[in-house]
Amino acid sequence: MGKTRQVAPIGTRGGAVRFRRLQNAEDEYDGFVDAQFVQPEPKVPTKSIMYAVFLFLFGSVMLTLGIFLFLGIISNPHPDRWLSLVIVGSLTFIPGSYHTWIAYKAWRGDRGYSFNDIPDFDD
């Protein structure tokens, strides 16, 4: 004999009965496995973190030298050289400090921070 379907009436509408399928043990398996929804432990992007620390330190040095040149602490025969150091220092300091901060907070295990937030250059 063929397989019979189990149905239960939901309600009537205009003299006709609407049916819905009952859930049984065979219907519980929907093709998904619980293990596919578990996130693996994130890989630590060491090369990206090294780049971020380098940018942070290089930017800090360039900003410091630019400010020292501007204030006259370091003598400079060309008065406009400080601006290029401050611009280059800012362009390297900002992303370096941002990604270094994310790496530090992820290493500490703070909520909302993960190593997945840092771009990975290890391909």
Side-chain angles (χ1 to χ4, degrees), residues 17-59:
V17 177
R18 291 184 14 205
F19 294 92
R20 68 178 168 90
R21 189 167 189 192
L22 291 177
Q23 189 173 22
N24 58 20
E26 293 174 356
D27 291 339
E28 289 180 17
Y29 179 72
D30 55 1
F32 294 104
V33 181
D34 290 337
Q36 73 189 59
F37 297 109
V38 176
Q39 281 190 333
E41 190 68 27
K43 188 179 82 161
V44 178
T46 54
K47 192 184 287 187
S48 299
I49 293 172
M50 289 190 302
Y51 288 152
V53 170
F54 170 75
L55 288 174
F56 173 69
L57 295 175
F58 182 75

Side-chain angles (χ1 to χ4, degrees), residues 2-21:
K3 186 176 171 182
T4 60
R5 293 178 59 186
Q6 298 174 346
V7 291
I10 292 177
T12 61
R13 182 201 240 161
V17 177
R18 291 184 14 205
F19 294 92
R20 68 178 168 90
R21 189 167 189 192

